[in-house]
Every structure is written in structure tokens, then in C-alpha cells.
Amino acid sequence: EHGFDNVSTDRLGAAVGIAGPSLYKNFPTKADRLAAALLHSPLLLSPLLPSFLPFPPSPAPPLRQGLDAYRKFARRHHHYLGAMVS
């Protein structure tokens, strides 16, 4: 929500209900915390995507389903979207 450079460890900890320095137990650096968030976001999106196998005669229906899933994900997890797109 505030960008990588504008978020302190204390603020991140407060957002998840712990003391900021406690984050260092699992994430030694700020970059490690960002990497974990970016690795987690596709896990939230993938269950929303339809299966594309076997390939349909027309790509339009699965494309529409995929775009719809991405739109729903973007609305539900808007806080991940900027980082994912970057």
C-alpha cells in the first residue's frame, strides 16, 4: 500500500499483530519479506484460474475465464497487485 521504501519493520509488524523486530526471526532482510510476499501472491491467484487442458477448440472461453479470475484476484488482493505487476 505504501511502497517498499516507505514501510518500516515496525509498521509491518503492527499490520500483522506482532512487534516489528519479530519479523527478523523468519525474514532477515526487508528484501526477504518482499520476496516472500511475491512468492505467496501467485498461490492466491492460481486456484482461481481454470484448467486449460485439454485445449479447447476456441481460446476465447478460457481466455475470458482467466481474465475474469485475474480481475477477481485484483479486487480481492489489490495490495499484491502493484508488486506483482512490477
Side-chain angles (χ1 to χ4, degrees), residues 21-75:
S22 298
L23 290 169
Y24 289 108
K25 179 179 178 185
N26 294 306
F27 306 102
T29 68
K30 193 173 179 180
D32 291 325
R33 292 188 286 275
L34 176 61
L38 292 176
L39 290 173
H40 181 70
S41 57
L43 299 175
L44 297 172
L45 177 59
S46 60
L48 302 174
L49 297 173
S51 173
F52 294 105
L53 296 175
F55 292 106
S58 167
L63 181 59
R64 261 189 248 108
Q65 290 173 329
L67 290 172
D68 187 49
Y70 190 79
R71 181 183 51 79
K72 287 177 184 174
F73 173 85
R75 286 186 176 165

